[in-house]
Amino acid sequence: MKRPSGRAADQLRSIRITRNYTKHAEGAVLVEFGDTKVVCTASVEAGVPRFLKGQGQGWLTAEYGMLPRATGSRNQREASRGKQGGRTLEIQRLIGRSLRAALDMSKLGENTLYIDCDVIQADGGTRTASITGAMVALVDALAVLKKRGALKGGNPLKQMVAAVSVGMYQGEAVLDLDYLEDSAAETDLNVVMTDAGGFIEVQGTAEGAPFQPEELNAMLALAQAGMQELFAVQQAALAD
């Protein structure tokens, strides 16, 4: 089996995280998984949704979008269609769930963190890139909250979170699928984990024949190994 990119089965694409990518948001990151590029911003607003008012805890919510020419042909803006598509809603809910798992909301105070992930170029793995990059933007936003004196209960950050795709391609488990692999994979899995080794979410779909338990174990093992590299990239970016 030869991957279209020439990478080894257990090899990530080139990963880059650039902080302070834009100047207005409390956290702003450009994350690159190979040719997939996503701008992730974390914005802070005082106050929480109505269902949380008076409880002394915060909230995090996420939105996701793809620019019209992020792909090979122009996609119509969802705003011009009047509603978001099912894929968009699914991905932004995944991003929100994943990043909320990184926080102790009781220490956030009555503040809301808005995570925006905008894909400017897509080549597979946009949701996993979004989660991995947005985590770094989130850490930067928490630092701003601390500097403002808005965190009265200590650091809300419990753990780091990252995500990566794995799949079965031509009968072999491979890590971090690009578009050519993703579009031809027999099985596609998205894995979200903490830096302590816990799983937050595993999304898996058999595109052809059902995958077997040993294939699932092989894919999860690849994801776990790749995740350690992603956490190292996050920490290196935050150390700059």
Side-chain angles (χ1 to χ4, degrees), residues 75-125:
N75 294 315
Q76 187 180 6
R77 293 183 190 273
E78 290 183 321
S80 69
R81 296 200 300 263
K83 65 176 183 178
Q84 290 179 305
R87 178 181 179 275
T88 296
L89 291 170
E90 175 215 343
I91 291 174
Q92 63 190 31
R93 287 167 182 162
L94 170 65
I95 296 168
R97 288 194 302 270
S98 300
L99 297 179
R100 283 193 292 272
L103 298 176
D104 181 344
M105 295 295 178
S106 67
K107 294 182 178 179
L108 190 57
E110 292 205 354
N111 296 292
T112 297
L113 289 156
Y114 291 92
I115 305 297
D116 290 287
C117 298
D118 293 289
V119 181
I120 60 175
Q121 184 168 283
D123 186 37

Side-chain angles (χ1 to χ4, degrees), residues 1 3 5-15 33-34 164-166 172-178 181 221-223 225-227 229-230:
M1 187 277 298
R3 303 182 72 174
S5 63
R7 287 181 286 144
D10 61 352
Q11 185 179 356
L12 290 167
R13 288 175 285 182
S14 174
I15 311 294
F33 275 45
V164 73
S165 64
V166 285
E172 187 172 340
V174 294
L175 176 67
D176 189 20
L177 284 68
D178 59 26
E181 293 170 330
L222 276 183
M227 211 70 70
E229 294 184 54
L230 292 178

Side-chain angles (χ1 to χ4, degrees), residues 176-194:
D176 189 20
L177 284 68
D178 59 26
Y179 175 76
L180 288 176
E181 293 170 330
D182 188 33
S183 60
E186 296 97 56
T187 302
D188 182 18
L189 218 66
N190 295 298
V191 182
V192 187
M193 293 184 68
T194 73

Side-chain angles (χ1 to χ4, degrees), residues 144-168:
V144 171
L145 275 173
K146 181 180 179 181
K147 188 175 180 180
R148 291 175 181 169
L151 299 178
K152 307 299 185 183
N155 188 359
L157 185 66
K158 296 191 299 183
Q159 54 206 355
M160 295 294 288
V161 170
V164 73
S165 64
V166 285
M168 297 300 300

